[in-house]
Amino acid sequence: MELIPTPLKWVEKAKHVEKVVALPNAAIMNIQLKAGEEVAEHHSNREVIIVVRKGIVRFEVEGNEVFVSPENLLHMAPFEKHSLRAIEDADLLVIQVEP
């Protein structure tokens, strides 16, 4: 067992991106954004599951807009191009899994 801390960092600085777990078949990143901050378009070669723990984040995935909050999850297939923008201060986990 390993308890992995993911403290809020946006008090210290604005955008925060950190890999918190790296396994042979998966990785978990913690992204923290202030309202209005963005992550430019990119893709992953792995399956991606987005878990928003706080706030609301607008994702654009292959031209489709979706809002992700603590009330839902977002799943993306490998190589789907996407970008994101925090609508509210946001704290999210990005779980990447080998297909």
Side-chain angles (χ1 to χ4, degrees), residues 7-11 13-18 30-40 42 50 52-59 68 83-94:
L8 291 178
K9 302 275 186 166
W10 63 50
V11 174
K13 60 179 186 174
K15 186 186 308 181
H16 173 75
V17 178
E18 176 183 13
N30 179 225
I31 299 177
Q32 298 173 14
L33 303 169
K34 289 278 202 187
E37 290 184 321
E38 301 179 343
V39 174
H42 62 285
I50 304 294
V52 174
R53 302 189 307 170
K54 177 180 177 12
I56 299 173
V57 182
R58 180 189 60 80
F59 277 78
V68 187
S83 61
L84 55 140
R85 177 183 177 87
I87 302 303
E88 301 174 356
D89 290 353
D91 179 15
L92 54 143
L93 296 177
V94 178

